[in-house]
Amino acid sequence: MMRMIKRLFLMLIASMLFLCACGETERKVAEDNLVVIGMSQVGAESDWRVANSESMKEAFSEKNGYRLLFDDARQKQENQFTSIRRFIQQRVDYIVVMPISEDGWESVLEEARDAGIPVIVVDRRVNVGDGSLVTAHVGADFYAEGTSAVKWIEKNYANRDRVNIVHIRGTMGSTAQIGRTGALTAAFRNHTNWNLIKEMDGDFTQAKTYEVMRDYLESSSVKPVIDVVYCENDNEAFGAIDALEEAGYKCGDGGVAVISFDATHDGLVACRDGKIALEVECNPLLGPLAESVVRTMEEGGVPEKNQNVEESIFLPEDITDELLESRGY
Ligand code: GYE
């Protein structure tokens, strides 16, 4: 009897061990089925960027079949190179990168190619001689965005002898800055009455823009006459408006016309309230498009090399409560 109980007990332990082992293997298989994405993000410098990160994380979620290794480069391109090299060592399936600035990518992307890992570039671009280093790019046409802003200035200041413009640039060398600045610079050449009274770097952040604008206004011996402030994103616009108002300027309604890019929720609210005269849309919800590139490749297809997102512009009168509620960012 004792021996039978002992045998039953041993059988029970053995079957429990077997079941555990099965559970382990199953979990491992499930894990192994996930497509591993190494992602390098610029940072969290703006509301746009935060919305972009959320969109990427949602699209590359575990429920959609991905294991996402997300790295925030804190606005330093060196950090992007380090994390991409780590992804290569970890042998991820795909690398997705939102590059900070365009230059300097050749070596690290060659390393990814040598390791056989496709690289998908999202939002801004990289400037590389060999186009095959990038599998696909998903993003916006920033020069076209700048052109929309320039057209608005042309239309609204058509009969003026002199238009005084302050320009706040985004992160130098980033595609968004190059495109938006490029359109304005080209327009200066065609409009001799446009006068660039000050150009400053805002680095796409509210804090830096507030600081440079405040310092500029404080250091001017005569209060400058400003018609237009061309900011390259919403956070720069918020910083500029704060500094302008503190210095006694009126934004909107016959005062300074602040132009902004992104059209995030708070940017649109400031536009509806008249403080931002024009919002040029830039859509941060690029996760689904980037994910569709990976899916196409997983299914054995060839993704489109370049995909641009559709964008529009907003004026104060366009912004209704319904529009604000319907925005995902
Ligand atoms: O406009 C700005 C962000 O690269 C399009 O980067 C992006 C820009 C966006 O920090 O808000």
Side-chain angles (χ1 to χ4, degrees):
M1 178 69 175
M2 240 355 239
R3 209 180 294 143
M4 209 164 95
I5 293 178
K6 204 168 156 188
R7 198 177 303 144
L8 271 174
F9 181 67
L10 283 175
M11 273 166 65
L12 188 72
I13 299 265
S15 49
M16 273 168 68
L17 282 174
F18 177 69
L19 281 176
C20 282
C22 280
E24 269 301 310
T25 352
E26 247 173 49
R27 223 179 6 251
K28 220 176 173 129
V29 169
E31 264 183 23
D32 287 346
N33 274 343
L34 296 176
V35 177
V36 182
I37 308 287
M39 184 176 289
S40 172
Q41 175 61 290
V42 170
E45 74 284 3
S46 64
D47 297 356
W48 188 101
R49 185 66 52 198
V50 172
N52 176 246
S53 293
E54 273 169 25
S55 167
M56 302 303 287
K57 286 178 184 168
E58 210 175 297
F60 291 102
S61 65
E62 214 162 296
K63 122 175 156 296
N64 289 348
Y66 299 97
R67 190 185 317 142
L68 178 62
L69 311 176
F70 183 92
D71 195 81
D72 176 335
R74 299 181 307 283
Q75 291 259 64
K76 288 214 166 56
Q77 192 147 295
E78 274 311 307
N79 292 343
Q80 298 206 286
F81 298 157
T82 309
S83 65
I84 289 174
R85 293 202 163 100
R86 203 175 42 245
F87 295 148
I88 296 172
Q89 267 174 10
Q90 290 170 312
R91 309 208 59 76
V92 299
D93 297 311
Y94 297 85
I95 289 171
V96 176
V97 57
M98 284 66 99
I100 294 169
S101 41
E102 290 194 350
D103 291 340
W105 287 94
E106 235 100 15
S107 337
V108 73
L109 295 192
E110 274 166 15
E111 289 166 41
R113 185 185 51 195
D114 294 348
I117 304 173
V119 173
I120 296 148
V121 176
V122 176
D123 166 26
R124 305 171 185 174
R125 289 172 177 273
V126 292
N127 177 19
V128 285
D130 178 355
S132 74
L133 292 174
V134 173
T135 304
H137 172 258
V138 168
D141 181 342
F142 302 115
Y143 193 89
E145 291 176 356
T147 305
S148 300
V150 160
K151 280 195 182 136
W152 184 89
I153 306 176
E154 278 168 354
K155 190 167 157 217
N156 286 274
Y157 293 85
N159 304 315
R160 293 275 290 268
D161 294 341
R162 195 178 163 87
V163 187
N164 283 353
I165 301 177
V166 173
H167 175 204
I168 318 273
R169 296 182 294 210
T171 303
M172 290 304 285
S174 68
T175 317
Q177 179 271 323
I178 294 171
R180 293 167 188 169
T181 295
L184 183 65
T185 308
F188 274 115
R189 285 196 288 271
N190 301 330
H191 299 277
T192 44
N193 59 330
W194 289 18
N195 183 28
L196 179 64
I197 56 169
K198 188 76 186 165
E199 192 164 50
M200 296 177 281
D201 290 343
D203 210 10
F204 285 131
T205 73
Q206 185 160 343
K208 172 111 190 263
T209 306
Y210 169 76
E211 238 173 74
V212 293
M213 193 64 159
R214 181 200 56 198
D215 292 352
Y216 163 58
L217 296 173
E218 275 177 2
S219 65
S220 309
S221 48
V222 186
K223 191 175 171 185
V225 175
I226 306 175
D227 297 305
V228 175
V229 178
Y230 185 100
C231 296
E232 293 191 356
N233 80 341
D234 279 346
N235 294 82
E236 288 191 347
F238 303 149
I241 292 169
D242 287 347
L244 283 161
E245 290 186 339
E246 259 177 46
Y249 287 84
K250 181 175 169 24
C251 295
D253 205 14
V256 179
V258 176
I259 290 180
S260 184
F261 295 82
D262 284 354
T264 55
H265 178 274
D266 290 1
L268 288 177
V269 170
C271 185
R272 181 196 59 190
D273 297 347
K275 299 211 168 184
I276 291 179
L278 168 72
E279 270 287 2
V280 181
E281 184 181 32
C282 183
N283 189 347
L285 308 182
L286 301 172
L289 267 186
E291 195 270 332
S292 77
V293 170
V294 173
R295 204 166 356 102
T296 303
M297 293 182 75
E298 284 297 297
E299 288 163 0
V302 180
E304 250 181 78
K305 184 91 183 178
N306 286 300
Q307 294 188 66
N308 275 354
V309 282
E310 288 286 313
E311 292 170 341
S312 57
I313 62 165
F314 298 100
L315 300 171
E317 59 269 28
D318 300 330
I319 301 161
T320 58
D321 288 346
E322 295 78 63
L323 172 78
L324 286 173
E325 272 160 36
S326 69
R327 298 291 280 181
Y329 53 96

